[in-house]
Amino acid sequence: MNLRVANAADAQYVETLCQWYAESARTRGVGIAKRDPNYLIKKMEKGDSIIAFIDDQLAGFCYIETFEDAKFVVNSGLIVNTELRKEGLGRAIKHRVFELSRMKYPAAKIFGITTSAAVMKINNELGYRPVTFPELTQSDDFWKGCSSCKNYGILMENQRKMCLCTGMVYDTLDDSFTQQSIEILAQER
């Protein structure tokens, strides 16, 4: 298993990733938001995503988004090749994107919304806690990302205060990642 920060050269995998997102939404019958290929490419180019391979075969992906001047960070779009699921790859990707988020944005709260029990379990292992939607970012840009979800009407009907997803947040800002980032910044000065 090879997990690494994605880069511009990984744009060749975007079409496949978008197909995986669409197929996952159909299979699960839940509201997975569609992903814009150009947006994923930008995440790769910026170093705000993790890509995974097994034996040189694309295996999974996840990316970082920031909101409210990086006060909030979300690890979004976790996807694993259906043929490689149940092998712990999703957990490994989620852990790696969490580490990347903490290193790049040590002062940010990391949050997510999901209908996936597996993702909720991983988030819990990482130290996230369930919260109500008003405790998450109130950025219109974040919530606009839900507009392609089939449950968007429910979200808007409830003034973005609840939906079928569960909101979770990691807000322990004095962890080892914060300390590592402080040390790295001090060395760079």
Side-chain angles (χ1 to χ4, degrees):
M1 181 181 329
N2 177 20
L3 281 79
R4 63 172 172 76
V5 176
N7 58 55
D10 294 316
Q12 65 182 312
Y13 301 110
V14 166
E15 185 178 319
T16 300
L17 291 169
C18 288
Q19 290 171 355
W20 289 357
Y21 289 124
E23 181 58 33
S24 182
R26 279 191 299 275
T27 301
R28 291 175 52 211
V30 295
I32 250 179
K34 293 178 185 170
R35 300 316 198 273
D36 179 289
N38 292 321
Y39 188 74
L40 297 182
I41 290 169
K42 287 179 186 173
K43 291 298 172 187
M44 292 172 174
E45 292 171 344
K46 190 176 177 190
D48 274 350
S49 57
I50 297 295
I51 195 162
F53 298 90
I54 294 181
D55 299 327
D56 296 324
Q57 176 186 2
L58 179 63
F61 184 75
C62 191
Y63 60 89
I64 297 170
E65 294 178 286
T66 62
F67 300 96
E68 297 181 35
D69 295 321
K71 180 180 172 187
F72 288 92
V73 172
V74 66
N75 300 156
S76 192
L78 175 63
I79 193 77
V80 174
N81 181 332
T82 55
E83 297 171 10
L84 302 172
R85 290 187 180 161
K86 307 282 186 205
E87 302 296 323
L89 183 58
R91 174 176 274 105
I93 294 169
K94 188 80 168 138
H95 278 259
R96 183 67 184 95
V97 79
F98 176 83
E99 291 171 2
L100 180 64
S101 298
R102 294 298 298 132
M103 292 303 292
K104 288 188 82 169
Y105 306 99
K109 294 179 182 180
I110 303 175
F111 75 100
I113 60 172
T114 187
T115 57
S116 168
V119 170
M120 285 184 244
K121 182 177 179 183
I122 296 166
N123 285 350
N124 187 58
E125 291 169 6
L126 288 167
Y128 287 65
R129 61 185 174 80
V131 295
T132 60
F133 282 14
E135 294 177 67
L136 306 175
T137 185
Q138 295 307 301
S139 168
D140 290 336
D141 286 339
F142 172 75
W143 296 104
K144 183 172 50 177
C146 295
S147 64
S148 64
C149 174
K150 73 177 189 175
N151 299 317
Y152 187 66
I154 296 169
L155 177 69
M156 297 312 291
E157 186 177 296
N158 290 295
Q159 291 93 36
R160 300 188 324 204
K161 292 182 180 162
M162 70 169 116
C163 194
L164 299 183
C165 283
T166 297
M168 300 186 81
V169 70
Y170 178 92
D171 56 3
T172 307
L173 303 181
D174 61 350
D175 63 8
S176 63
F177 295 106
T178 303
Q179 296 307 313
Q180 287 175 321
S181 295
I182 291 169
E183 291 168 14
I184 290 168
L185 288 172
Q187 291 172 1
E188 290 176 354
R189 291 185 181 156

